[in-house]
Amino acid sequence: MSDVQPMLSLRNFSVSFDTARGPLYAVRNVDIDVADGESLGIVGESGSGKTVLSRGAMGLLPKRAAHRSGTVIYDDHDLSTAPRDELRQYWGTGMAMIFQDPMTALNPVRKIGSQLTEGLRVRLQMNKHDAKTRGLELLHRVRIPDPEAVMEKYPFQLSGGMRQRVMIAIALACKPRLLFADEPTTALDVTVQAQVMQLLSELRHEMGMSMVIVTHDLGVVAGHTDRIAVMYAGEVVEIAPTKQLFANMQMPYTEALMKSIPRLDTPSGQRLPVISGRLPDPTQPEIGCSFASRCPYVTDKCRASAPPLVEVTPGHSYRCWFPIGGSR
Amino acid sequence: MTRALPILRRLGALLAVIVLSTFFLSCLLRLLPTDLVDMILSMGTPQEKAALRHTLYLDRDVFTSYIMWFSHFIRGDMGIIYGTGGGETVWSHVTRSLPISLLIMLYTQVFALVIAVPLGIFTAYRAGKKSDRAISNTLFTASSVPNFALAFLLIIVVGVKLKWLPTLEYVGFKENPFQHFKHLAIPCISLGVGLAASYTRLLRTDVIAALKDDYVTMAASKGLSDSRILLTHVFRPASVTLLTAAALNMGALIGGTLVIETIFAIPGFGFEIAYALGTKEFVALQSFIAITAIGYVIFNVTADLLIGVVDPRTRGSR
Ligand SMILES: Nc1ncnc2c1ncn2[C@@H]1O[C@H](COP(=O)(O)OP(=O)(O)O)[C@@H](O)[C@H]1O
Ligand code: SF4
Ligand SMILES: [Mg+2]
């Protein structure tokens, strides 16, 4: 992506919140590019800042509570300083989002049909009839049986899998060039998860759109992304092309995530090795490496100073004083 | 079937409340310090008194007499106003005065909602800012003034000093619509300001909560304008609470309306009750109070049913 201008480019992007306990640093100094047609995975455990990062990139965070810094460049436009009215021109068409929980992201008291078609009517100025036809097509496309009936239903009348498909249809309604999918399968049964990921991949290829898939499960994105960024405590700690990351991970946190991927041969019900310990307090930034408190390879140097982002091979960078591939 | 069941259960409860409250009234009539018959016919002969005792079912045991009274009551046969020499029935007084009170309650609700809906949405949208604080504080102050005090204030300022609005008596809508509204303006405003304040506060809280919900962010991510999101995504769920409050307040409004009517000499139901109390028309009073209790129960049940219509989540499940 060095010679091609990326579609979306975050530079030194940070988000903090005002809380009772002082500023909470949710996202810290993130540099990420998303190229045209690319699929990027953002992986990290719950609380690592993935949702804040993706909402922040879109400009969807509440203005008053969230402080953003750094730049967000979409095509040639700097969105980090753009007023909400300008951002709105990109929402739905330039960028769209699938939200983490389809139960809370769909309005409980409005019918699926009106929630699906309102974007078409407002953003694409479709008339009622065309919007409905297009809405039915979309529902059909995300493999919802009996779209006519579903249009007339309320979210609570659908199963979790159906709700997630509806949300995908809504996000794709205005043919966005870039789709953020925030934990698109977390709320679903395991059997449905694979189907939904498959559907998203198909739709991405069909529509030629770029996609950012946010998940806490490295296994979910393995087969569906070109590159993966690993997030920990608000930072990108390793970023690499997907194959490269699996073959040659450098950062101990990536290794720990890798070990927690469920495998087909894992007897069901058996607990996977979880990473012991907790994320550091986001209101108390670490002086050293943010993973130091949980890292099996930690040394005094790690606690004393934070490792910078270094590049091993083109497109593969990590933060660690003692990378796994290197001499330890 | 499954939908009819909760409604039937509610209607059962409604009936129970009505029966219990009216039966209680029946018992009270027997416990008056002076015998009811002696009170009405203080100069009557023993035969006349016995006849009246029979008409009022007081010669039966308490249960039989209650059942007889109730079976006549629901058919609109509520006896007569004795002070008029028997010329007027209680029912005629009910049909004359009740619509007036219901109109006052309706106008008051409309007034309160018309004020509260825009203010509630606006203050929520601007929560914490100067305009929100100014409006919220003003409403809070206004709502802490009792109805009757506000009524007197408006009478003195708007009615007597400025002479903008009449402060006494009632004009029917059919007689003169303009005068009708003019005469009811101060009473309804006095009743409605407190309601408007509490509705605004409710709506503001609800809208603020809804604005934090994911579906609002989701609606924004579609590229919809703020005003569209406020109206189509936020107001509808928030209006459920508002509607509940409005319907529940109908019951509470009964009391306020009765007081306001006596202040403004409006010949509504409250005026009738006050008159019946003052002239010891206990037979009429029993029916008046029973009607009030029934109204109260009906308003509350209607509130519940209305919520089901507006919020699809509660349909059938209640
Ligand atoms: N609106 C908010 N106000 C304060 N803190 C927040 C807010 N949203 C998120 N956070 C905090 O930011 C951090 C990152 O959260 P999030 O992005 O939701 O994590 P993830 O999506 O990776 O699970 C968490 O510590 C969370 O508590
Ligand atoms: S810098 Fe040290 S503590 Fe941090 S991940 Fe590397 S080895 Fe572990
Ligand atoms: Mg999240």
Side-chain angles (χ1 to χ4, degrees):
Chain A
M1 44 230 51
S2 44
D3 45 336
V4 192
Q5 162 95 15
M7 174 188 292
L8 181 77
S9 178
L10 305 186
R11 284 292 169 272
N12 207 17
F13 186 71
S14 302
V15 180
S16 65
F17 294 98
D18 290 328
T19 69
R21 295 166 54 237
L24 181 152
Y25 304 93
V27 170
R28 297 183 289 152
N29 311 317
V30 167
D31 294 338
I32 280 183
D33 289 337
V34 184
D36 229 326
E38 184 187 29
S39 169
L40 171 75
I42 296 182
V43 184
E45 71 197 90
S46 180
S48 53
K50 308 177 300 289
T51 296
V52 173
L53 175 65
S54 38
R55 290 194 187 189
M58 265 186 86
L60 282 172
L61 292 172
K63 269 252 164 60
R64 248 178 284 166
H67 306 290
R68 303 191 301 165
S69 64
T71 55
V72 179
I73 311 285
Y74 182 91
D75 286 341
D76 283 327
H77 307 279
D78 186 353
L79 300 189
S80 52
T81 52
R84 209 173 157 86
D85 282 335
E86 195 186 322
L87 286 175
R88 240 194 295 282
Q89 304 309 309
Y90 293 89
W91 292 342
T93 50
M95 303 183 267
M97 181 171 278
I98 296 173
F99 288 76
Q100 196 160 341
D101 181 358
M103 192 63 214
T104 60
L106 294 173
N107 193 321
V109 297
R110 298 192 55 210
K111 287 180 182 168
I112 300 296
S114 70
Q115 300 194 54
L116 176 58
T117 54
E118 68 183 338
L120 295 167
R121 302 202 55 191
V122 172
R123 298 306 312 283
L124 304 183
Q125 276 91 43
M126 283 192 184
N127 64 34
K128 208 168 182 168
H129 178 264
D130 292 351
K132 189 176 177 202
T133 311
R134 173 98 180 99
L136 289 171
E137 267 170 39
L138 281 160
L139 290 181
H140 183 72
R141 187 64 201 84
V142 297
R143 299 208 196 98
I144 283 182
D146 201 0
E148 289 270 0
V150 168
M151 293 281 260
E152 293 302 312
K153 289 196 167 157
Y154 291 95
F156 75 96
Q157 294 170 314
L158 302 178
S159 70
M162 285 300 133
R163 276 197 291 266
Q164 189 59 287
R165 283 165 200 269
V166 164
M167 188 140 72
I168 293 172
I170 293 176
L172 296 182
C174 297
K175 296 211 168 84
R177 285 178 61 211
L178 170 61
L179 177 71
F180 286 93
D182 188 356
E183 310 259 6
T185 63
T186 305
L188 307 178
D189 291 341
V190 186
T191 46
V192 189
Q193 284 186 1
Q195 293 168 14
V196 168
M197 280 314 298
Q198 189 56 39
L199 175 66
L200 278 175
S201 275
E202 274 171 33
L203 291 166
R204 174 171 78 89
H205 287 298
E206 194 178 298
M207 299 170 62
M209 86 189 153
S210 309
M211 188 151 77
V212 174
I213 307 175
V214 170
T215 175
H216 65 275
D217 185 350
L218 197 52
V220 164
V221 287
H224 300 278
T225 51
D226 303 316
R227 285 191 306 142
I228 291 178
V230 177
M231 265 188 100
Y232 185 79
E235 284 179 316
V236 170
V237 292
E238 184 158 12
I239 181 165
T242 304
K243 279 199 188 108
Q244 171 80 8
L245 188 81
F246 276 85
N248 192 23
M249 73 201 84
Q250 299 294 315
M251 164 78 192
Y253 180 63
T254 312
E255 182 188 51
L257 277 181
M258 206 74 80
K259 282 185 182 153
S260 65
I261 300 178
R263 287 173 190 286
L264 284 180
D265 53 10
T266 312
S268 57
Q270 180 181 317
R271 289 197 55 145
L272 294 158
V274 275
I275 312 161
S276 61
R278 288 192 298 151
L279 279 165
D281 183 347
T283 60
Q284 311 288 326
E286 306 279 312
I287 305 158
C289 171
S290 54
F291 193 48
S293 59
R294 300 163 78 184
C295 181
Y297 316 116
V298 63
T299 68
D300 286 344
K301 181 179 181 181
C302 307
R303 295 194 189 91
S305 65
L309 198 66
V310 294
E311 195 167 48
V312 245
T313 50
H316 183 178
S317 313
Y318 64 89
R319 284 179 203 275
C320 179
W321 291 123
F322 306 103
I324 292 160
S327 53
R328 197 184 302 270
Chain B
M1 180 70 201
T2 41
R3 238 182 227 196
L5 210 64
I7 295 179
L8 282 181
R9 202 166 49 211
R10 218 88 52 81
L11 290 179
L14 184 145
L15 204 67
V17 172
I18 290 170
V19 167
L20 281 177
S21 57
T22 49
F23 180 67
F24 180 66
L25 276 169
S26 246
C27 298
L28 276 186
L29 276 190
R30 292 177 174 246
L31 295 175
L32 288 172
T34 328
D35 182 64
L36 193 58
V37 173
D38 287 340
M39 217 182 312
I40 297 170
L41 285 180
S42 48
M43 307 293 191
T45 62
Q47 287 86 345
E48 283 171 330
K49 284 190 180 180
L52 181 60
R53 201 171 293 279
H54 183 72
T55 327
L56 297 178
Y57 326 115
L58 289 174
D59 51 353
R60 316 291 179 88
D61 68 285
V62 74
F63 291 104
T64 321
S65 91
Y66 170 71
I67 290 167
M68 296 189 73
W69 171 82
F70 192 73
S71 65
H72 284 91
F73 168 79
I74 52 171
R75 277 177 276 160
D77 178 5
M78 300 173 183
I80 52 172
I81 305 276
Y82 290 93
T84 60
E88 289 176 26
T89 61
V90 175
W91 181 242
S92 73
H93 279 236
V94 171
T95 52
R96 202 189 319 146
S97 63
L98 196 56
I100 298 177
S101 299
L102 290 175
L103 268 188
I104 292 176
M105 291 168 69
L106 178 74
Y107 295 161
T108 303
Q109 290 280 17
V110 170
F111 166 78
L113 287 171
V114 162
I115 302 276
V117 168
L119 284 187
I121 294 177
F122 179 79
T123 52
Y125 186 58
R126 320 224 74 198
K129 298 201 171 159
K130 255 196 206 130
S131 47
D132 165 39
R133 265 178 287 156
I135 294 172
S136 295
N137 290 341
T138 309
L139 283 175
F140 180 74
T141 314
S143 68
S144 53
V145 181
N147 290 338
F148 65 87
L150 191 61
F152 286 128
L153 192 77
L154 287 173
I155 290 175
I156 292 166
V157 178
V158 184
V160 179
K161 282 259 157 65
L162 299 170
K163 296 199 179 4
W164 286 348
L165 291 167
T167 55
L168 273 181
E169 288 174 358
Y170 174 78
V171 177
F173 182 82
K174 282 190 195 133
E175 281 169 57
N176 184 338
F178 180 67
Q179 286 298 326
H180 171 73
F181 287 115
K182 241 178 133 176
H183 278 81
L184 289 182
I186 297 184
C188 291
I189 291 171
S190 327
L191 277 172
V193 166
L195 273 187
S198 74
Y199 293 168
T200 306
R201 207 160 40 225
L202 266 179
L203 190 58
R204 178 179 176 276
T205 314
D206 259 34
V207 169
I208 288 176
L211 282 174
K212 289 196 184 112
D213 278 334
D214 256 3
Y215 59 77
V216 170
T217 313
M218 165 104 179
S221 81
K222 295 177 191 170
L224 310 179
S225 66
D226 284 356
S227 53
R228 197 189 163 91
I229 294 172
L230 274 174
L231 283 178
T232 62
H233 283 273
V234 175
F235 178 61
R236 173 123 188 241
S239 65
V240 175
T241 327
L242 191 62
L243 210 71
T244 322
L248 287 176
N249 268 304
M250 279 307 248
L253 199 52
I254 293 176
T257 308
L258 305 188
V259 173
I260 287 291
E261 280 173 3
T262 50
I263 294 179
F264 290 89
I266 297 169
F269 206 58
F271 196 75
E272 289 286 347
I273 289 180
Y275 185 79
L277 259 176
T279 54
K280 302 209 167 97
E281 289 286 347
F282 290 114
V283 174
L285 197 60
Q286 181 181 14
S287 293
F288 290 161
I289 294 176
I291 289 169
T292 311
I294 291 170
Y296 192 84
V297 176
I298 287 178
F299 286 137
N300 283 314
V301 173
T302 315
D304 273 7
L305 295 178
L306 268 181
I307 298 161
V309 176
V310 177
D311 190 339
R313 283 167 299 182
T314 58
R315 262 181 231 161
S317 63
R318 283 180 174 220

